[in-house]
Amino acid sequence: MLESIRSGAAGWRPVARVAGVGCPVVAAAVLGAFRDDVTNATAVLLLVLIVVGAAATGDRIAGLLAAVSAGAWFDFFLVRPFHTFTIDDHDDIETAVLLVLISVAVTEVALWGRRQQARASRRSGYLDGLLNTARAVAEGTAPDSAVTDLVAGQITEVLDADEARFVKGPVHDSRVALLDHDGVVVRDGRHVDVDRVGLPTDEFTAVPVRKGPHEVGHFLLTAASHVAYPTQEQRRVAVLLADQVAAVDVL
C-alpha cells in the first residue's frame, strides 16, 4: 500500500509543480489585459487563491513555486513599468513582497493542516488494526496461523517494512535489532536512532511477543528495499499489535 502511495505521489507531483508555475502566469496575463478595471488588491487575492490551490496538493515545492511565480508575474503584468521585472513605485514593491510572503505563509499553513489530517487518519487506522486484531483473538473464530498472519501484515504496514513473519521462541541472534515496549530499537546493546537513520536495512528487526515475563515468540521484520522511518508512536503500536498474539494457542 505504501509503495503504491509513493508511486502515485511521484506521478502527480511534477504536474502540480508545473501547474504551480504556470497557473499564476496565465492568471496574471489575463488580469493584465483588464488592469484598468482590476485593482491590485483584487489581483493579489486571486493570485493567492491560486497559491492555495497549489499548496492544497500537499507538495511544498509546488506551493513555493506558485508563490514565487505569483510574485514575479504580478510584477511583470500588473506593476508599472509593465512587461518588465522592474518596480519603480515603493507601494508596488511592498505589495509584491507581501504577495510572496503571504503566499508562502498560506502554503505552510495548508501543509500543516494536511499533516494534521494525515496524522489523525493514521491514528484511526492504527486503532482499527488493534481493534480488529483484538476481536479476532477474543472471538477465536480465525485459525491461530491466520491471526499471526494478520498481525504480521499490520506490523509490516505500520512500520513501513517489507515483510514480517512470526517465529516461535525468543530471539537468539545478537545481530537482530529488538523493538521494546517503549518503541526503542536496540541493537548490540546500543539504541538505534530510528528517527535519524531509520530501521536497520542490513539485518532483521524483531518485535517480541511476551506472555508475562517470558518472551514466547517474535515477529521478524525485513526492511531492506528502502529506509523506513517509523515514528515512536508507530513503533509502540507495532508492539501492541504483537502483544495480541500472546493470547492465541499457536504459542
Side-chain angles (χ1 to χ4, degrees):
M1 178 183 295
L2 289 167
E3 288 302 321
S4 63
I5 292 174
R6 289 193 187 95
S7 298
W12 59 255
R13 280 180 177 169
V15 175
R17 292 171 186 179
V18 171
V21 174
C23 288
V25 179
V26 175
V30 172
L31 291 169
F34 300 95
R35 67 173 67 94
D36 293 335
D37 302 316
V38 177
T39 65
N40 279 357
T42 301
V44 166
L45 290 174
L46 290 173
L47 290 171
V48 169
L49 183 61
I50 293 173
V51 176
V52 170
T57 64
D59 183 28
R60 173 178 277 105
I61 294 178
L64 295 178
L65 287 174
V68 173
S69 179
W73 296 111
F74 170 79
D75 172 18
F76 188 84
F77 288 107
L78 295 163
V79 175
R80 296 179 183 276
F82 301 122
H83 303 154
T84 70
F85 291 107
T86 302
I87 305 178
D88 293 334
D89 187 86
H90 183 269
D91 290 339
D92 289 337
I93 293 175
E94 289 185 352
T95 301
V97 171
L98 285 173
L99 169 59
V100 175
L101 292 178
I102 291 171
S103 297
V104 171
V106 165
T107 296
E108 293 304 318
V109 170
L111 291 172
W112 178 84
R114 284 181 65 91
R115 285 195 299 269
Q116 297 304 310
Q117 183 181 25
R119 187 175 291 114
S121 178
R122 285 196 301 270
R123 286 175 176 168
S124 177
Y126 300 157
L127 180 59
D128 288 343
L130 284 169
L131 290 175
N132 290 338
T133 303
R135 186 180 301 111
V137 172
E139 293 177 352
T141 55
D144 295 333
S145 59
V147 173
T148 57
D149 289 344
L150 171 63
V151 174
Q154 291 176 340
I155 289 176
T156 299
E157 183 168 352
V158 167
L159 296 180
D160 191 18
D162 295 332
E163 63 176 351
R165 58 187 174 88
F166 178 73
V167 180
K168 290 184 179 181
V171 178
H172 297 294
D173 192 339
S174 61
R175 295 172 300 176
V176 175
L178 295 176
L179 176 59
D180 67 20
H181 271 72
D182 293 326
V184 176
V185 177
V186 180
R187 185 179 185 183
D188 292 331
R190 297 188 299 271
H191 288 184
V192 178
D193 189 352
V194 177
D195 294 331
R196 184 173 63 86
V197 301
L199 292 176
T201 57
D202 59 341
E203 191 52 78
F204 293 108
T205 300
V207 185
V209 176
R210 294 183 174 87
K211 199 167 188 177
H214 305 292
E215 185 179 320
V216 293
H218 59 277
F219 285 92
L220 208 56
L221 265 72
T222 303
S225 67
H226 64 279
V227 180
Y229 298 92
T231 64
Q232 186 173 22
E233 181 183 47
Q234 289 172 283
R235 301 193 298 267
R236 294 182 70 178
V237 168
V239 172
L240 289 173
L241 284 166
D243 282 345
Q244 304 303 309
V245 177
V248 302
D249 294 334
V250 73
L251 303 175

